[in-house]
Amino acid sequence: QAASAQSNPATSHTMNRAQGSVPAMRRGLLVLALLWCCRLLPDFLGGFGEEEKKGPPAKGEPERVEEQEVDWKDLAYQRQLERIANRKRKAQPNYKETAEERKVRLRKLAMWNAAQKKGMTDVVGRAETTVDIKVGLMKPLGIEFEKYDEEPNRAWVSGIFKDGSAFKNGEIEAGDFLFSVNGKEVDGMPYEEALQNIVDAEGEINLVFKRIYSSG
């Protein structure tokens, strides 16, 4: 067989070429495989960390709202802008305190008074304080009063009717109690006698109510 190969140099050269082409083909296939992997690698890696894409909500389902991360610095900046805008609004000569702003101010005042009272008496626990609610109202007032058996000499506000001047005024709340009518102190009077002062009053009635706040 060796003699045959030596006797036929063309055949020997062809076999050598065929044997040498096998590694070259393998290298070519390996290069093609690497190129194919490199082509798909960005798409493969790009899928990691991406949120699942959701289609439109089905019929009858509420619309989904994408959650957005809120930066606390932006939030603080917006609150600062709101405080500046409120200060400018309150500095205007035609500024009028809203009912909600008055409630907040009275609540803060009551908490301060309760803290002062608590500090002076040095009593640890629940402290109560009252603030005055002064209003001038025309009839019909639209205020519903009631009395409790525990305090028969005090008229409590149990409700406000929408068709009365108290509702339009917006400062009186259920839970307040009547203190004075046109400068006359009625708190401590029998319930019916205290309300009779309102019945007898004419024109604009100057009323003072008390609101109780608790703290501690």
Side-chain angles (χ1 to χ4, degrees):
Q1 186 177 1
S4 175
Q6 291 176 359
S7 63
N8 192 348
T11 302
S12 176
H13 181 67
T14 302
M15 291 177 61
N16 291 334
R17 289 183 61 187
Q19 292 176 357
S21 64
V22 172
M25 290 177 63
R26 290 177 179 175
R27 286 195 297 270
L29 291 174
L30 181 60
V31 170
L32 289 175
L34 290 174
L35 291 174
W36 183 73
C37 290
C38 292
R39 172 67 178 84
L40 297 180
L41 188 61
D43 296 336
F44 178 74
L45 294 178
F48 289 99
E50 291 184 356
E51 295 182 358
E52 181 182 357
K53 295 182 179 179
K54 300 179 181 178
K59 188 176 181 180
E61 292 184 359
E63 184 177 356
R64 291 186 289 266
V65 179
E66 296 293 337
E67 295 184 359
Q68 296 181 354
E69 186 177 355
V70 180
D71 189 355
W72 67 269
K73 294 181 180 179
D74 293 339
L75 188 60
Y77 179 68
Q78 291 296 330
R79 289 179 177 174
Q80 181 65 19
L81 291 179
E82 291 176 1
R83 285 193 289 267
I84 293 174
N86 286 333
R87 291 194 190 106
K88 290 182 179 180
R89 183 173 58 87
K90 293 178 180 179
Q92 297 296 325
N94 58 348
Y95 164 74
K96 184 178 180 181
E97 187 180 42
T98 64
E100 184 63 26
E101 288 173 341
R102 179 176 175 82
K103 290 177 183 178
V104 172
R105 181 173 59 81
L106 291 175
R107 189 177 297 111
K108 289 180 179 180
L109 178 61
M111 292 175 63
W112 171 253
N113 290 338
Q116 293 292 97
K117 182 178 179 181
K118 183 176 179 181
M120 289 186 295
T121 56
D122 198 26
V123 175
V124 178
R126 193 175 186 84
E128 291 186 347
T129 186
T130 59
V131 293
D132 294 345
I133 311 295
K134 300 178 181 180
V135 294
L137 304 176
M138 299 291 293
K139 293 181 180 180
L141 304 182
I143 303 175
E144 182 182 28
F145 292 95
E146 68 175 340
K147 67 176 178 179
Y148 300 113
D149 295 336
E150 296 82 2
E151 294 180 296
N153 297 333
R154 177 167 288 178
W156 294 88
V157 177
S158 59
I160 305 293
F161 299 107
K162 292 184 177 180
D163 56 350
S165 59
F167 180 83
K168 296 177 182 179
N169 180 269
E171 296 189 12
I172 306 172
E173 296 180 352
D176 298 342
F177 66 88
L178 183 63
F179 181 75
S180 68
V181 179
N182 284 335
K184 180 179 180 180
E185 186 174 337
V186 297
D187 186 41
M189 292 183 179
Y191 176 78
E192 292 77 9
E193 184 179 344
L195 296 186
Q196 189 63 40
N197 286 272
I198 297 178
V199 175
D200 296 339
E202 297 180 357
E204 184 180 64
I205 309 174
N206 295 314
L207 302 171
V208 177
F209 292 84
K210 295 280 187 178
R211 184 172 300 164
I212 300 176
Y213 289 95
S214 300
S215 63

